Amino acid sequence: MLHDQQVVVIGGSEGIGLAVAKAARAQGARVLAVSRTREKLEVARKAVSGLEIQVGDINDPESIRGIFSGVTAVDHVYIAAGSTKVGSPLDHPIQDFKHRFDERVWGSIDVVRAAHGRMRAGGSFVFTGGLSSDRPVPGAWVSGIATMAAEQLARVLALDLAPIRFNAVAPGYTETPMWDSIFPREGARALDAVTARQPVPRLVSPDEVAQAVLLLMQNEAITGETIHIDGGARLV
Ligand SMILES: NC(=O)c1ccc[n+]([C@@H]2O[C@H](COP(=O)([O-])OP(=O)(O)OC[C@H]3O[C@@H](n4cnc5c(N)ncnc54)[C@H](OP(=O)(O)O)[C@@H]3O)[C@@H](O)[C@H]2O)c1
C-alpha cells in the first residue's frame, strides 16, 4: 500500500496521469500532480480529494527542479507527460519532431536528476512508453523511437541508479483526452474499428493503466520492467 507515501505525477491533471493520482490517493498516498495548465489542475483537484497541485513543464528543467525542491522526500514518481507529432520525417520542421523525443527522454532524465536525491528507500520511477514501440504506426515514427527510448531508459537506469527502481508502462489505445486533439469530433471513439481487432476488443481505460503503474510502485522486486496494457494489440 502507498499509505503515507509521497507520489509525484508529472502530467497528472488529465488522462492516465490523473488516474494514477486518483488511485494513489485512494491508497492514502500524498499526491502532487504537476502539469502546465493551472485550469486543468484545478479541475483535477476538485475531482480527487486531497490532491496537491503545482504548475510545471517537463520541457523546462528549471521548473522541474523547482517542483522537487519544494518536496522534502519522495517515494514514487510517475511521468505521464509526453506528446506526439504525426507526419513524414521529410515534411515538417525537424524541431517539431525533436521536441517530442526530447520531452519524453531528456525530460524524464531531468526529472530523475531533480528527484533522485530526495527519494526514500524502496522508491521508484515509472516512465511511459507505448504500443508504438512494438507496433510502429505510419506517420507516428517519432512516437515509436521516443516510447522505445523511455522503456529502455527504465532498463539502463535500473542498473546505473540501483537500488532506486525504474520501470515503464506501455499503454495501448487508451481512452483519454489526448485523442480529442487528434480526432476533434470523435476523440478516442475514432479508434473503435482498430481496437475491435484486438484480443480484448475495446479501448483500454486510464484506470487499467493506473493499476499497472501502482503495481510497479509497490512491488519492490520489479525493476527494469515494462508492463504492456494494450488489450493484446501487439499480437494482431
Ligand atoms: N492515450 C493513449 O492511447 C496512449 C497510448 C500510448 C501511450 N500514451 C502516453 O501516455 C502518456 C499519457 O497520455 P494521456 O493519453 O493520458 O494524455 P493526456 O490525456 O493528453 O494527458 C496528458 C497529461 O500530461 C500533461 N502534460 C502534457 N505535456 C506536459 C508537459 N510538457 N509538462 C508537464 N505536463 C504535461 C497534461 O496537462 P497540461 O496540458 O496541463 O500540461 C495532462 O495532464 C503520454 O506520454 C502518451 O504519449 C498514451
Side-chain angles (χ1 to χ4, degrees):
M1 292 292 278
L2 297 174
H3 188 69
D4 274 347
Q5 298 203 349
Q6 176 70 59
V7 171
V8 179
V9 182
I10 309 291
S13 63
E14 280 191 326
I16 295 168
L18 177 60
V20 169
K22 193 171 82 183
R25 277 294 302 142
Q27 290 202 4
R30 293 185 300 282
V31 182
L32 173 62
V34 177
S35 91
R36 296 165 301 181
T37 319
R38 175 156 301 281
E39 294 71 24
K40 287 188 197 175
L41 285 165
E42 293 291 357
V43 172
R45 179 155 63 179
K46 287 200 182 91
V48 181
S49 153
L51 184 69
E52 292 167 39
I53 57 171
Q54 203 165 336
V55 172
D57 185 344
I58 200 166
N59 292 302
D60 175 359
E62 208 165 305
S63 131
I64 292 300
R65 278 194 293 274
I67 300 285
F68 285 98
S69 67
V71 179
T72 318
V74 187
D75 293 287
H76 304 284
V77 178
Y78 172 55
I79 304 177
S83 59
T84 193
K85 167 91 185 163
V86 177
S88 163
L90 306 179
D91 285 350
H92 297 270
I94 202 67
Q95 194 51 40
D96 289 357
F97 294 111
K98 283 177 104 168
H99 165 70
R100 315 303 161 136
F101 183 87
D102 289 351
E103 73 181 350
R104 198 176 296 270
V105 180
W106 292 107
S108 296
I109 292 170
D110 286 331
V111 171
V112 171
R113 287 166 66 107
H116 87 282
R118 293 178 161 73
M119 194 150 271
R120 282 195 277 244
S124 76
F125 291 86
V126 182
F127 304 139
T128 305
L131 178 61
S132 56
S133 301
D134 292 288
R135 294 299 300 267
V137 176
W141 60 278
V142 77
S143 295
I145 57 171
T147 55
M148 180 154 258
E151 293 163 24
Q152 181 66 358
L153 192 59
R155 284 187 278 270
V156 295
L157 295 186
L159 289 176
D160 270 314
L161 298 179
I164 297 175
R165 295 180 299 109
F166 291 84
N167 293 295
V169 283
Y173 296 109
T174 307
E175 189 162 14
T176 71
M178 182 186 89
W179 295 105
D180 297 339
S181 56
I182 300 171
F183 304 115
R185 279 197 317 168
E186 296 171 275
R189 308 275 22 138
L191 299 162
D192 282 350
V194 177
T195 57
R197 295 195 289 271
Q198 298 172 181
V200 179
R202 59 168 175 79
L203 290 158
V204 173
S205 78
D207 292 339
E208 289 170 323
V209 182
Q211 276 180 28
V213 173
L214 261 65
L215 169 73
L216 294 170
M217 289 176 176
Q218 291 173 90
N219 189 321
E220 296 190 12
I222 305 180
T223 193
E225 185 60 277
T226 297
I227 297 186
H228 301 87
I229 313 98
D230 63 5
R234 283 171 307 144
L235 307 176
V236 291

